[in-house]
Amino acid sequence: MDRIYVMQLVRSFQVGEISRRTFLRRTTAALGSVAAANVLLAACSPVLDPSMMTPNPVVDEEATANQPALGEMSTSDGVVSGMVAYPDADGEELTGHLAYPEGDGAHPGIIVIQEWWGLNDHIKDVADRFAAAGYVALAPDLYKGQVATEPDEARKLVMELDMAEAVNEIQAAIDYLLAQENVAGDKAGIVGFCMGGRLVLMTGLASDDVGAAVAYYGSPLTPEEAANFKAPLMGHYGTADQGIPVEGVETMGQAMTDAGIENEIYIYDGAQHAFFNDTRASSYDADAAAASWERTLGWFADRL
């Protein structure tokens, strides 16, 4: 893969020099994967000022260096949380942020999939919020400790991520979660945001262990893919998301309905990409975020 060429395509798309169709065609050829091209597209909101396309690429060294030690669990407001390690299918060590309600008893399990920034404080907070709502939540660290703060660096991390291997790592996280004594049931829920939303959709095609799925602004499946989805799906999208046309989302939902797959797709008027992320003031939509959260909790409560 020619990373410089792909970054040039990103810039060309964002400043309007090439169309969405051309961007997808060329990045698919460069990356060798339609899925990877769609993930990159979903994260590329067009901009008006080309000068905005040259931020200083940064991996958040402080966030990366200050990751808590594995196994060090802390308790706050009734939620126990911390970083844990577990094996993948080949016995290699993977890590993730685990959060669960304090006290005895078993609870449904949920996998929380990161945005393209990495396993940052926002995603950990989302996992903690699920724990406060009565779930055992695990957010796998797909970037192996790297956390980005600037779009250019996040794009590099996305391009370096093997999406098929990421799905395998998510399956390993599901296996680990379901094996915990405080996890009830034989299937897990899965929720993801942006890149994580697309990975939710990919995992729902591959895994028989997903009891319910929620995708926040993940690039939609094709009708052929959607007809083979293995779990009930809820989707949350915005009309102002410049990387994901509403028509494609609606087509995915209709394909699932036609195939007899339970789904609910919500389109929030005026909401942008990443409208749920309350650490991003430019895109956060408090009303859409609150409505989608309540719907997500209800979706999981009825199916896990």
Side-chain angles (χ1 to χ4, degrees):
M1 178 189 70
D2 187 337
R3 179 185 292 176
I4 294 177
Y5 172 66
V6 173
M7 295 298 291
Q8 289 172 340
L9 290 177
V10 168
R11 288 181 170 85
S12 295
F13 171 67
Q14 290 189 303
V15 299
E17 294 176 350
I18 59 175
S19 68
R20 178 178 180 276
R21 182 186 297 273
T22 299
F23 175 80
L24 275 176
R25 177 170 54 81
R26 293 180 181 176
T27 52
T28 296
L31 298 174
S33 166
V34 174
N38 272 305
V39 168
L40 194 58
L41 172 67
C44 295
S45 298
V47 297
L48 299 177
D49 182 0
S51 68
M52 295 174 63
M53 293 306 302
T54 55
N56 182 30
V58 172
V59 166
D60 190 336
E61 296 181 1
E62 181 177 356
T64 300
N66 292 335
Q67 294 282 357
L70 291 175
E72 286 189 2
M73 310 300 286
S74 61
T75 303
S76 177
D77 296 326
V79 170
V80 182
S81 65
M83 293 295 291
V84 296
Y86 50 92
D88 66 9
D90 298 321
E92 297 295 326
E93 183 178 86
L94 303 173
T95 62
H97 176 82
L98 181 69
Y100 53 87
E102 187 178 16
D104 298 329
H107 311 273
I110 291 177
I111 300 294
V112 181
I113 308 301
Q114 66 192 53
E115 295 176 308
W116 70 337
W117 307 108
L119 181 56
N120 58 13
D121 288 342
H122 169 63
I123 295 300
K124 292 177 181 178
D125 178 66
V126 172
D128 292 351
R129 288 174 63 184
F130 276 113
Y135 296 90
V136 180
L138 174 62
D141 184 1
L142 301 178
Y143 287 167
K144 311 299 188 294
Q146 296 188 87
V147 177
T149 59
E150 298 291 347
D152 276 2
E153 189 59 39
R155 290 187 194 99
K156 292 177 184 178
L157 293 174
V158 168
M159 287 187 288
E160 291 171 355
L161 185 67
D162 183 324
M163 300 300 286
E165 180 58 28
V167 171
N168 291 337
E169 292 188 10
I170 293 168
Q171 181 62 55
I174 293 173
D175 293 341
Y176 170 80
L177 189 64
L178 293 177
Q180 302 309 298
E181 292 183 356
N182 63 343
V183 174
D186 57 1
K187 292 194 175 187
I190 182 171
V191 58
F193 306 84
C194 183
M195 178 188 82
R198 177 64 188 186
L199 285 168
V200 163
L201 297 175
M202 294 174 66
T203 303
L205 291 173
S207 177
D208 294 317
D209 299 316
V210 177
V214 177
Y216 276 80
Y217 28 85
S219 295
L221 301 172
T222 66
E224 295 76 18
E225 291 171 328
N228 293 305
F229 203 73
K230 297 183 178 183
L233 174 71
M234 175 175 281
H236 300 294
Y237 294 85
T239 61
D241 189 329
Q242 299 182 63
I244 302 179
V246 170
E247 293 80 4
V249 177
E250 294 174 336
T251 298
M252 175 181 70
Q254 187 59 54
M256 288 187 170
T257 298
D258 292 344
I261 300 167
E262 183 183 11
N263 71 95
E264 292 183 12
I265 305 296
Y266 292 95
I267 309 294
Y268 300 88
D269 188 38
Q272 301 181 50
H273 194 79
F275 68 77
F276 187 80
N277 189 335
D278 57 6
T279 70
R280 299 277 166 181
S282 60
S283 60
Y284 177 59
D285 186 314
D287 291 338
S292 67
W293 177 250
E294 291 304 315
R295 287 165 172 163
T296 293
L297 290 179
W299 187 254
F300 285 139
D302 291 343
R303 291 161 183 82
L304 296 179

